[in-house]
Amino acid sequence: MFKYRIIYCTFLSAAILFYIFFSGYLSFFTLTFVILLPFISLIFLLLAIWKTYVKFNVDSFAVNKNDEFKVDIYINNKCIFPIAKTQIKFNYTNVFLGDTKEETLNLPINSLSEQKIEYNFKSNYCGKIKFKILNIKYYDCLGIFSVTKQPN
């Protein structure tokens, strides 16, 4: 995210220099566009987050040692704006041993869509596994802003 902010500041500096050295409507509109673009991107992101829902299909279940198991993640975006990058941070815990592992899943969310993501795991131990979404971080299309949302 820091890299994208540096790139934006570079474009903003270039637009300011263009406005200083060239008089006219084009330089003014270029500067105005570069200044307003991140705020428009943030507004689109907030509108998309407002109508987006993320959920797991299971809270806990039992697995055998070294067995692969899958978890379905359902994402429903009812907004006309897509989300360029979403970071879902969750953990899964072996209830018997208390062994907790944390995973991060990065993915885009399409506009006006319902997505089902199948995520495969492999357990080192047998027993009951419990899943929990820690947080969901949404990024705007420019990568300048991010909004963290706690799960429902």
Side-chain angles (χ1 to χ4, degrees), residues 70-89:
K70 70 175 184 167
V71 173
D72 295 333
I73 302 169
Y74 295 98
I75 301 172
N76 190 1
N77 186 3
K78 295 181 180 179
C79 187
I80 60 171
F81 304 117
I83 300 173
K85 181 182 174 187
T86 305
Q87 187 179 64
I88 302 172
K89 193 176 283 189

Side-chain angles (χ1 to χ4, degrees), residues 6-137:
I6 294 295
I7 291 171
Y8 172 72
C9 288
T10 305
F11 277 121
L12 183 61
S13 301
I16 290 171
L17 288 175
F18 182 62
Y19 180 71
I20 291 171
F21 290 120
F22 296 100
S23 61
Y25 291 115
L26 180 63
S27 62
F28 174 73
F29 287 130
T30 303
L31 180 63
T32 305
F33 176 74
V34 170
I35 289 173
L36 291 179
L37 189 61
F39 298 109
I40 293 170
S41 178
L42 179 64
I43 290 170
F44 287 171
L45 176 69
L46 293 175
L47 288 173
I49 291 172
W50 184 47
K51 294 195 173 204
T52 301
Y53 306 99
V54 177
K55 68 176 184 171
F56 277 119
N57 67 337
V58 292
D59 282 339
S60 61
F61 55 88
V63 296
N64 295 327
K65 184 176 181 178
N66 293 327
D67 261 359
E68 285 194 6
F69 57 95
K70 70 175 184 167
V71 173
D72 295 333
I73 302 169
Y74 295 98
I75 301 172
N76 190 1
N77 186 3
K78 295 181 180 179
C79 187
I80 60 171
F81 304 117
I83 300 173
K85 181 182 174 187
T86 305
Q87 187 179 64
I88 302 172
K89 193 176 283 189
F90 57 93
N91 66 5
Y92 56 100
T93 305
N94 186 322
V95 177
F96 181 67
L97 296 174
D99 183 31
T100 301
K101 291 187 180 178
E102 191 170 297
E103 296 275 337
T104 303
L105 180 64
N106 293 314
L107 54 105
I109 299 177
N110 299 327
S111 61
L112 296 174
S113 68
E114 192 170 317
Q115 297 172 324
K116 176 185 170 186
I117 293 102
E118 294 179 356
Y119 200 70
N120 294 319
F121 297 95
K122 188 172 185 179
S123 176
N124 295 335
Y125 308 104
C126 64
K128 189 174 180 182
I129 305 290
K130 185 173 173 88
F131 283 88
K132 182 180 179 187
I133 299 176
L134 300 176
N135 63 17
I136 305 165
K137 193 176 225 182

